[in-house]
Amino acid sequence: MLLVAMTTLFLIRHGLTAVTGSRLYGRAPGIHLDERGRRQAAALVERFEGIRLNALYSSPLERCVETLEPLAVARGLEIRTSDALIEMDAGHWTGRTLPSLRRVKLWNTVQRDPSRFRFPAGESFVDAEARVLDAIEQIVARHPKGRVAVGTHGDLVRVLVSHYTGAHLDQFQRVMADPASVSVVHLGDSVPRILLVNDTGTLRRFGRDASTTRDGRKKKLRG
């Protein structure tokens, strides 16, 4: 049952690009969705069918904006971009292939102790966590009791979900966020509520009629 006093956030990782999973492209501009990613973006319209959205926020990078564009057109909503939702700054590692990075000694720190890691000439995970949490707090403050879709990047989705479970930053690698996946959290009360993680299917359970019967009466909860 949805808690109506809280803001519902739909955290969306961008869809597939030609280099997803093979290269660390960080904040490099000009990385667009490929054909598979465009299909994933189009599918979000159907996946969100029946769900009232109050706003759409996105990282300014092309792959995130393009993921939300079909949904924005279908709902007549503006995509509000925020630099605080942007991908981590990978510094000197930007553009390197993942197989080459896995041979670097520091890669083990990324996987096991990310709170102690900073990308060479780039951003730390501690700083990234702080900025994205601040961005989410501002969004929740603007949309109390609202439903908001937030398009961002895989690591940031994972960091957010891990944080809202109460886990330390070093545990965020245990969370998965596949391309075009949706994770759903309730915020605004003293305790965050995590409703869904890394989902790539239907979201109809969050539709406005999800807790009512066909005749409009509230369903009785059991158990």
PDB file of all heavy atoms in Angstrom, residues 57 80 135 137-144:
ATOM      1  N   TYR A  57      12.854  14.986 -13.739  1.00  0.00           N
ATOM      2  CA  TYR A  57      14.181  15.574 -13.556  1.00  0.00           C
ATOM      3  C   TYR A  57      15.205  14.659 -14.208  1.00  0.00           C
ATOM      4  O   TYR A  57      15.028  13.436 -14.267  1.00  0.00           O
ATOM      5  CB  TYR A  57      14.513  15.737 -12.076  1.00  0.00           C
ATOM      6  CG  TYR A  57      13.742  16.836 -11.388  1.00  0.00           C
ATOM      7  CD1 TYR A  57      12.456  16.613 -10.921  1.00  0.00           C
ATOM      8  CD2 TYR A  57      14.301  18.099 -11.197  1.00  0.00           C
ATOM      9  CE1 TYR A  57      11.735  17.618 -10.283  1.00  0.00           C
ATOM     10  CE2 TYR A  57      13.597  19.108 -10.562  1.00  0.00           C
ATOM     11  CZ  TYR A  57      12.322  18.859 -10.107  1.00  0.00           C
ATOM     12  OH  TYR A  57      11.612  19.862  -9.483  1.00  0.00           O
ATOM     13  N   ARG A  80      13.380  18.750 -16.443  1.00  0.00           N
ATOM     14  CA  ARG A  80      14.199  19.713 -15.730  1.00  0.00           C
ATOM     15  C   ARG A  80      15.579  19.094 -15.472  1.00  0.00           C
ATOM     16  O   ARG A  80      15.688  18.113 -14.732  1.00  0.00           O
ATOM     17  CB  ARG A  80      13.550  20.092 -14.393  1.00  0.00           C
ATOM     18  CG  ARG A  80      12.085  20.509 -14.520  1.00  0.00           C
ATOM     19  CD  ARG A  80      11.529  20.914 -13.168  1.00  0.00           C
ATOM     20  NE  ARG A  80      10.076  20.991 -13.180  1.00  0.00           N
ATOM     21  CZ  ARG A  80       9.329  21.406 -12.166  1.00  0.00           C
ATOM     22  NH1 ARG A  80       9.922  21.802 -11.039  1.00  0.00           N
ATOM     23  NH2 ARG A  80       8.015  21.429 -12.250  1.00  0.00           N
ATOM     24  N   ALA A 135      20.499  16.904  -4.031  1.00  0.00           N
ATOM     25  CA  ALA A 135      19.577  17.131  -5.149  1.00  0.00           C
ATOM     26  C   ALA A 135      18.232  16.471  -4.897  1.00  0.00           C
ATOM     27  O   ALA A 135      17.172  17.061  -5.146  1.00  0.00           O
ATOM     28  CB  ALA A 135      20.194  16.610  -6.439  1.00  0.00           C
ATOM     29  N   GLU A 137      16.903  15.686  -1.996  1.00  0.00           N
ATOM     30  CA  GLU A 137      16.209  16.399  -0.919  1.00  0.00           C
ATOM     31  C   GLU A 137      15.500  17.642  -1.447  1.00  0.00           C
ATOM     32  O   GLU A 137      14.375  17.953  -1.040  1.00  0.00           O
ATOM     33  CB  GLU A 137      17.206  16.783   0.174  1.00  0.00           C
ATOM     34  CG  GLU A 137      17.693  15.606   1.005  1.00  0.00           C
ATOM     35  CD  GLU A 137      18.711  16.022   2.052  1.00  0.00           C
ATOM     36  OE1 GLU A 137      18.959  17.237   2.170  1.00  0.00           O
ATOM     37  OE2 GLU A 137      19.243  15.138   2.742  1.00  0.00           O
ATOM     38  N   GLN A 138      16.145  18.342  -2.363  1.00  0.00           N
ATOM     39  CA  GLN A 138      15.520  19.528  -2.940  1.00  0.00           C
ATOM     40  C   GLN A 138      14.302  19.155  -3.789  1.00  0.00           C
ATOM     41  O   GLN A 138      13.282  19.849  -3.771  1.00  0.00           O
ATOM     42  CB  GLN A 138      16.541  20.281  -3.792  1.00  0.00           C
ATOM     43  CG  GLN A 138      17.660  20.923  -2.989  1.00  0.00           C
ATOM     44  CD  GLN A 138      18.611  21.721  -3.857  1.00  0.00           C
ATOM     45  OE1 GLN A 138      18.195  22.410  -4.786  1.00  0.00           O
ATOM     46  NE2 GLN A 138      19.898  21.630  -3.575  1.00  0.00           N
ATOM     47  N   ILE A 139      14.404  18.064  -4.534  1.00  0.00           N
ATOM     48  CA  ILE A 139      13.274  17.618  -5.348  1.00  0.00           C
ATOM     49  C   ILE A 139      12.093  17.241  -4.463  1.00  0.00           C
ATOM     50  O   ILE A 139      10.943  17.615  -4.734  1.00  0.00           O
ATOM     51  CB  ILE A 139      13.702  16.424  -6.235  1.00  0.00           C
ATOM     52  CG1 ILE A 139      14.652  16.900  -7.333  1.00  0.00           C
ATOM     53  CG2 ILE A 139      12.473  15.736  -6.849  1.00  0.00           C
ATOM     54  CD1 ILE A 139      15.296  15.775  -8.129  1.00  0.00           C
ATOM     55  N   VAL A 140      12.366  16.505  -3.404  1.00  0.00           N
ATOM     56  CA  VAL A 140      11.297  16.105  -2.483  1.00  0.00           C
ATOM     57  C   VAL A 140      10.651  17.335  -1.851  1.00  0.00           C
ATOM     58  O   VAL A 140       9.419  17.402  -1.699  1.00  0.00           O
ATOM     59  CB  VAL A 140      11.858  15.158  -1.401  1.00  0.00           C
ATOM     60  CG1 VAL A 140      10.823  14.924  -0.297  1.00  0.00           C
ATOM     61  CG2 VAL A 140      12.275  13.833  -2.019  1.00  0.00           C
ATOM     62  N   ALA A 141      11.457  18.338  -1.503  1.00  0.00           N
ATOM     63  CA  ALA A 141      10.913  19.562  -0.901  1.00  0.00           C
ATOM     64  C   ALA A 141      10.013  20.309  -1.877  1.00  0.00           C
ATOM     65  O   ALA A 141       9.015  20.920  -1.473  1.00  0.00           O
ATOM     66  CB  ALA A 141      12.060  20.467  -0.443  1.00  0.00           C
ATOM     67  N   ARG A 142      10.337  20.237  -3.167  1.00  0.00           N
ATOM     68  CA  ARG A 142       9.516  20.924  -4.176  1.00  0.00           C
ATOM     69  C   ARG A 142       8.226  20.173  -4.470  1.00  0.00           C
ATOM     70  O   ARG A 142       7.248  20.764  -4.935  1.00  0.00           O
ATOM     71  CB  ARG A 142      10.294  21.068  -5.483  1.00  0.00           C
ATOM     72  CG  ARG A 142      11.480  22.009  -5.420  1.00  0.00           C
ATOM     73  CD  ARG A 142      12.036  22.248  -6.813  1.00  0.00           C
ATOM     74  NE  ARG A 142      13.404  22.745  -6.762  1.00  0.00           N
ATOM     75  CZ  ARG A 142      14.479  22.058  -7.118  1.00  0.00           C
ATOM     76  NH1 ARG A 142      14.339  20.828  -7.579  1.00  0.00           N
ATOM     77  NH2 ARG A 142      15.679  22.580  -7.033  1.00  0.00           N
ATOM     78  N   HIS A 143       8.213  18.875  -4.244  1.00  0.00           N
ATOM     79  CA  HIS A 143       7.060  18.050  -4.634  1.00  0.00           C
ATOM     80  C   HIS A 143       6.592  17.170  -3.472  1.00  0.00           C
ATOM     81  O   HIS A 143       6.581  15.937  -3.579  1.00  0.00           O
ATOM     82  CB  HIS A 143       7.422  17.183  -5.842  1.00  0.00           C
ATOM     83  CG  HIS A 143       7.926  17.955  -7.010  1.00  0.00           C
ATOM     84  ND1 HIS A 143       7.096  18.627  -7.884  1.00  0.00           N
ATOM     85  CD2 HIS A 143       9.201  18.182  -7.446  1.00  0.00           C
ATOM     86  CE1 HIS A 143       7.826  19.222  -8.815  1.00  0.00           C
ATOM     87  NE2 HIS A 143       9.096  18.974  -8.576  1.00  0.00           N
ATOM     88  N   PRO A 144       6.190  17.771  -2.358  1.00  0.00           N
ATOM     89  CA  PRO A 144       5.683  16.962  -1.247  1.00  0.00           C
ATOM     90  C   PRO A 144       4.433  16.202  -1.677  1.00  0.00           C
ATOM     91  O   PRO A 144       3.549  16.759  -2.315  1.00  0.00           O
ATOM     92  CB  PRO A 144       5.376  17.999  -0.167  1.00  0.00           C
ATOM     93  CG  PRO A 144       5.169  19.276  -0.913  1.00  0.00           C
ATOM     94  CD  PRO A 144       6.099  19.220  -2.088  1.00  0.00           C
TER      95      PRO A 144
END
